[in-house]
Amino acid sequence: MANLHRVYLGMRAITVPVLLGAVLLGGCGNWSNDDILFKLAAPDRNTLRLRVPGAEVFEEQAANSTAQGLGNPCEGDEADNITCGIRQIAGFFNAFTFGLLGVVDNITSNDPTKREQGLRVWGPHFVQDKNFTARFEMRREEATGGFSYCLHVAGGNRTGPFADRDVRCGRDASGFIEIFTGDFVPEEGAEPQARKGVGHMVLNLNTQRRTGTADDPKAQGKFIFDYDTTGGATVIAITVEDFNDEDTGLPARATYSYRRTDAGDGEIHLRLLKQLRCGEFFGCNGSDRETLDLGARWTAEGASRVDAVGSGGDLDREYRGWECAQSDLRIVARHYDWEPDKDLGSESLCPFSAVDVSPNDSAP
Amino acid sequence: MGPGRATTTSDRLLLALFAAVFAVALPSEVLAEPVRRAFLFSHSDGGPGLAKLRYAHRDVMKMRNVLTELGGFSGENIQVVYNQDSQDVIQQLRKMEERVLDDKLAGKEVLLLIYYSGHAKDGALRLGKTRLDMNLLRSMLEDSKADVRVALIDACGAGEITREKGGVKAPPLVVSVDDALTARGQVIIASSSDTEASQESDDIQGSFFTHYWVSGLRGDADRTGDGRVTLDEAYAYAYARTVAATVHSRGGVQHPTYRYNLRGAGDVVMANLGASTSVVRFPEDVSGRFMVFDLERQLVVAEVEKERGTPVRIAVKGGHYAIKKREPDHLLMQKVKVARASEHVVDPSQMEKVDFDDDYSKGAVITVEQPYVRKQGYWGLSLSGGMGAQAFFNLPGPPTNAKRSTNPLTASPTFPATTIATLQTRYHGLFNRHLLLSGDLNFGGREYTAIIDGGALGQLRYDAAFFMAELGAGAMWEQEIWRLRFAAGPRISTVFLFRHLYNAPVDNQFFMNMTPGLAGYVGFDIFRFLHVELGLRGSYLVYATDGFQNIGSVSATLAMHADL
């Protein structure tokens, strides 16, 4: 008994100095200038938002979840017009990026769980509403000032000590699979809250689907984002590949380019290579994929023009159409090759002449 | 009554014989300057049945002042004890004797002076409700290793301590004077005989004996005019003046007594008037009774019974004084500033006529006196607001992060400087009268611009709000010189730092750590219970979140410290 007491006293005598020394040496807290730099370089959903006039309703709807965001805002009289289609596509991508980057925002709103020189790791954190565990890692290259990052996910709750053992960017382990990678080089001298710079992101929904963590079990495709927020404008190029057309099951590919100046005017170009639905509007009858080019420009006030060109594939000819809308989004002029009887107003009411529908070469 | 009236012929012969014998035995060689130590204590309360004394503490102050200004006693060698019981006094006396022993072991000559002002009765000093037997005090004096021991007991019935083996009511013969301490032995001087009362006076704001003793040391007792006041001269002067002043008092005449047991050739020099370069001079043609009143310390410094034909020089400390001469129906008064290294010549023709009621040298109304007292073992609380500042800086050391500055002692890029308020509490005299324990709570904050080194991004700037709190504890060694206090010692604290960043991707951040360091202060006593102090603290902390950083923090505060 006496020996036990001596052991107890000995342990107590050691514990106090050790604890005191630990606190004395390291301190505690989240005071970190570097955390701010990492957070500035992390992908931000607001930076990548496609700010197309009239898409706000859709964006608000999409801000909560991707599933909600996929609802169709183009109903009633607007159901078939091209302008609303552009808004729908912009809304889709906004919802998509909101859903993805919302997870990153959610994780990085906590303090990093690991801080090392040039390294921050957040998580693994359990995302309860999506029932998966996510781990986000960022590294900084001191020489270039650039950052790289990756997001790993695992189904269910996989938090706890050493739950992400051996996991790192480029390496899957402990049940965590990398679904999202990217890098970002900040612009020197930018305003601190603007997150200006050049970035590249890749999201592989095909991989995510295999982990069982995707919102939509049928989600597919590899989404490649290249963006540049320097030079007074936001330029985003999105390529979607490795997916099959929902209707035909054929491989499809889409490219999008978006450019919006800080003043508010902008343009978007979409090229969709897929099997268009044939019917009364388009004279097509085969199974070849057609090319649908869409181009839209808008002023800072919101007045816009949209041009669409369908070509290739099984189309018997090239089809063109255009719409012009005032800043209140009301369409004041239009023409469709496939529905001449729906002509409205005069092209002189448009804020721009015909929009070049080919993808923007200035995209990053 | 003249000073020699009560002296017997046999006393004079005995002392002369002593002087002659030991002049041969101990030649007055030039010896090293002796260490002079003093233990001054007082108690205004003599217990049940005895009236509280009004000026006991003030007597100690006067004695202390004259010893430091003219007596060759350094402030640190004088221990002052107010209103403590007998056990505490005995304990302090024993510590004093330990210091004397240290001096002797170091081969130094030592003069020890013990002074008491207060009540005494039935052979004991009355220290509040406790008693200190005079025989015990005397035996402690006799056992002391000091070469010369001098005891001055200013108390009613104090003659009890000189009575055994025959205390004498008159001054001894003058023996030769020597700068070195060639005398050996002890002298006990009591302010009254064993049956007499020792009296205080509102007019002189003190006891008669101490008043005249101090006045004598300041120069009025220098009968030989050699610029030095010996123990013999001081006693003779104090004896004569005390007897003269009390002969018509209600308390009855008061006869100081002495017990000499000195061997050696020289008398003991108690005041060297040359030690003070500031002098109030009464020229040859001036006569009358003058008082010199220290306006700053509100003390009667000296009383001069000036006779025409002989100049008198009173050594004082540089400062503001009132010179007062009492005439039958009015006062003559003059305010003077005696600068350092200067002489003020008293000229009654320049003095203004003042009614008795307008005597501006009376100072503040004195009840039962609570003079400037620095107690042992007390809690003190100090408060300061907006009077301090704290800054952080990088300490020299190898940075682990390439972007960190290698330049030492630059302002920290991590933590901002801020104004702070401080709350402090202290406990004095725990193990040693110089040792104090302190605890402090500091807090502050401000709006500032956080500048963050963004590497390739350049400098990022964010508006931010900063708050800090710090809880510290430490021990300090405190040294007191006059009304100044100096203290320094180790300290450890826990510091909590918080900031809110506006428009930043991270909003709230905090850091907490233990910080060892040093603390100290310089204080000035405004009143007995209140002093103002400038505090300085330096701490070291480790910050390891963004790479390892050695960080130092320095704070300075101006605080008022009140003793509870």
Side-chain angles (χ1 to χ4, degrees), chain B residues 58-78:
Chain B
R58 187 163 285 239
D59 287 342
V60 168
M61 292 166 65
K62 290 179 182 175
M63 186 64 72
R64 185 182 192 282
N65 291 339
V66 76
L67 292 180
T68 53
E69 292 168 24
L70 303 171
F73 290 75
S74 65
E76 62 187 14
N77 286 347
I78 298 178

Short mmCIF file of all heavy atoms in Angstrom, two decimals, chain B residues 58-78:
data_model
loop_
_atom_site.label_atom_id
_atom_site.label_comp_id
_atom_site.label_asym_id
_atom_site.label_seq_id
_atom_site.Cartn_x
_atom_site.Cartn_y
_atom_site.Cartn_z
N ARG B 58 6.57 60.49 15.11
CA ARG B 58 7.24 61.65 14.53
C ARG B 58 8.66 61.79 15.11
O ARG B 58 9.59 62.21 14.42
CB ARG B 58 6.40 62.90 14.82
CG ARG B 58 6.89 64.14 14.14
CD ARG B 58 5.82 65.19 14.13
NE ARG B 58 4.79 64.87 13.16
CZ ARG B 58 4.44 65.65 12.15
NH1 ARG B 58 5.04 66.81 11.99
NH2 ARG B 58 3.50 65.31 11.32
N ASP B 59 8.81 61.45 16.38
CA ASP B 59 10.15 61.45 16.98
C ASP B 59 11.08 60.52 16.19
O ASP B 59 12.24 60.85 15.93
CB ASP B 59 10.07 60.98 18.44
CG ASP B 59 9.44 62.02 19.34
OD1 ASP B 59 9.39 63.20 18.93
OD2 ASP B 59 9.00 61.66 20.44
N VAL B 60 10.55 59.36 15.84
CA VAL B 60 11.36 58.40 15.09
C VAL B 60 11.74 58.99 13.73
O VAL B 60 12.88 58.85 13.27
CB VAL B 60 10.59 57.07 14.92
CG1 VAL B 60 11.28 56.18 13.89
CG2 VAL B 60 10.49 56.35 16.25
N MET B 61 10.78 59.65 13.11
CA MET B 61 11.08 60.26 11.81
C MET B 61 12.18 61.30 11.94
O MET B 61 13.10 61.37 11.11
CB MET B 61 9.82 60.91 11.23
CG MET B 61 8.74 59.92 10.83
SD MET B 61 7.16 60.73 10.54
CE MET B 61 7.55 61.74 9.14
N LYS B 62 12.07 62.12 12.96
CA LYS B 62 13.10 63.15 13.16
C LYS B 62 14.47 62.51 13.37
O LYS B 62 15.47 62.95 12.82
CB LYS B 62 12.76 64.01 14.39
CG LYS B 62 11.57 64.92 14.23
CD LYS B 62 11.38 65.66 15.55
CE LYS B 62 10.16 66.57 15.51
NZ LYS B 62 9.90 67.18 16.82
N MET B 63 14.46 61.47 14.19
CA MET B 63 15.73 60.80 14.49
C MET B 63 16.31 60.17 13.21
O MET B 63 17.51 60.28 12.94
CB MET B 63 15.50 59.72 15.55
CG MET B 63 16.77 59.06 16.04
SD MET B 63 17.90 60.20 16.88
CE MET B 63 17.00 60.45 18.41
N ARG B 64 15.44 59.55 12.47
CA ARG B 64 15.90 58.90 11.25
C ARG B 64 16.49 59.94 10.29
O ARG B 64 17.54 59.73 9.68
CB ARG B 64 14.73 58.18 10.57
CG ARG B 64 15.13 57.38 9.35
CD ARG B 64 13.91 56.74 8.71
NE ARG B 64 14.30 55.75 7.73
CZ ARG B 64 14.71 56.01 6.49
NH1 ARG B 64 14.81 57.27 6.10
NH2 ARG B 64 15.05 55.05 5.68
N ASN B 65 15.79 61.07 10.17
CA ASN B 65 16.26 62.10 9.23
C ASN B 65 17.63 62.63 9.61
O ASN B 65 18.52 62.77 8.77
CB ASN B 65 15.26 63.25 9.17
CG ASN B 65 13.95 62.85 8.52
OD1 ASN B 65 13.90 61.87 7.78
ND2 ASN B 65 12.88 63.58 8.80
N VAL B 66 17.80 62.90 10.88
CA VAL B 66 19.08 63.50 11.28
C VAL B 66 20.21 62.47 11.17
O VAL B 66 21.35 62.81 10.86
CB VAL B 66 18.98 64.12 12.69
CG1 VAL B 66 19.00 63.04 13.78
CG2 VAL B 66 20.10 65.13 12.91
N LEU B 67 19.88 61.21 11.43
CA LEU B 67 20.92 60.19 11.32
C LEU B 67 21.38 60.02 9.88
O LEU B 67 22.57 59.83 9.62
CB LEU B 67 20.41 58.85 11.87
CG LEU B 67 20.16 58.79 13.38
CD1 LEU B 67 19.66 57.41 13.78
CD2 LEU B 67 21.41 59.14 14.17
N THR B 68 20.43 60.05 8.95
CA THR B 68 20.81 59.86 7.55
C THR B 68 21.46 61.12 6.99
O THR B 68 22.38 61.02 6.16
CB THR B 68 19.58 59.51 6.69
OG1 THR B 68 18.57 60.49 6.89
CG2 THR B 68 19.05 58.14 7.03
N GLU B 69 21.01 62.29 7.43
CA GLU B 69 21.55 63.52 6.86
C GLU B 69 22.91 63.88 7.44
O GLU B 69 23.79 64.38 6.73
CB GLU B 69 20.57 64.67 7.08
CG GLU B 69 19.27 64.50 6.27
CD GLU B 69 18.18 65.47 6.73
OE1 GLU B 69 18.52 66.52 7.29
OE2 GLU B 69 17.00 65.14 6.53
N LEU B 70 23.08 63.63 8.74
CA LEU B 70 24.30 64.10 9.39
C LEU B 70 25.05 63.02 10.16
O LEU B 70 26.22 63.20 10.49
CB LEU B 70 23.96 65.24 10.38
CG LEU B 70 23.24 66.45 9.78
CD1 LEU B 70 22.78 67.37 10.89
CD2 LEU B 70 24.16 67.20 8.83
N GLY B 71 24.39 61.94 10.46
CA GLY B 71 24.98 60.97 11.37
C GLY B 71 25.83 59.91 10.71
O GLY B 71 26.38 59.05 11.40
N GLY B 72 25.89 59.90 9.39
CA GLY B 72 26.69 58.88 8.72
C GLY B 72 25.99 57.54 8.60
O GLY B 72 26.61 56.53 8.29
N PHE B 73 24.69 57.51 8.85
CA PHE B 73 23.92 56.27 8.71
C PHE B 73 23.30 56.24 7.31
O PHE B 73 22.65 57.21 6.91
CB PHE B 73 22.79 56.21 9.74
CG PHE B 73 23.24 56.03 11.15
CD1 PHE B 73 23.79 57.09 11.86
CD2 PHE B 73 23.11 54.80 11.79
CE1 PHE B 73 24.20 56.93 13.16
CE2 PHE B 73 23.52 54.64 13.10
CZ PHE B 73 24.07 55.71 13.80
N SER B 74 23.53 55.17 6.61
CA SER B 74 22.84 55.06 5.32
C SER B 74 21.43 54.55 5.57
O SER B 74 21.17 53.84 6.55
CB SER B 74 23.59 54.10 4.40
OG SER B 74 23.57 52.80 4.92
N GLY B 75 20.52 54.92 4.67
CA GLY B 75 19.11 54.56 4.84
C GLY B 75 18.89 53.08 5.01
O GLY B 75 18.07 52.63 5.81
N GLU B 76 19.67 52.30 4.29
CA GLU B 76 19.45 50.85 4.34
C GLU B 76 19.94 50.24 5.64
O GLU B 76 19.58 49.11 5.97
CB GLU B 76 20.13 50.19 3.16
CG GLU B 76 21.62 50.38 3.13
CD GLU B 76 22.25 49.85 1.85
OE1 GLU B 76 21.49 49.59 0.89
OE2 GLU B 76 23.47 49.72 1.81
N ASN B 77 20.76 50.99 6.38
CA ASN B 77 21.24 50.48 7.65
C ASN B 77 20.39 50.93 8.83
O ASN B 77 20.75 50.72 9.97
CB ASN B 77 22.69 50.91 7.88
CG ASN B 77 23.65 50.14 7.00
OD1 ASN B 77 23.27 49.13 6.42
ND2 ASN B 77 24.87 50.61 6.89
N ILE B 78 19.29 51.60 8.51
CA ILE B 78 18.39 52.04 9.58
C ILE B 78 17.10 51.24 9.45
O ILE B 78 16.45 51.25 8.40
CB ILE B 78 18.07 53.55 9.48
CG1 ILE B 78 19.37 54.35 9.65
CG2 ILE B 78 17.05 53.93 10.52
CD1 ILE B 78 19.16 55.84 9.52
#
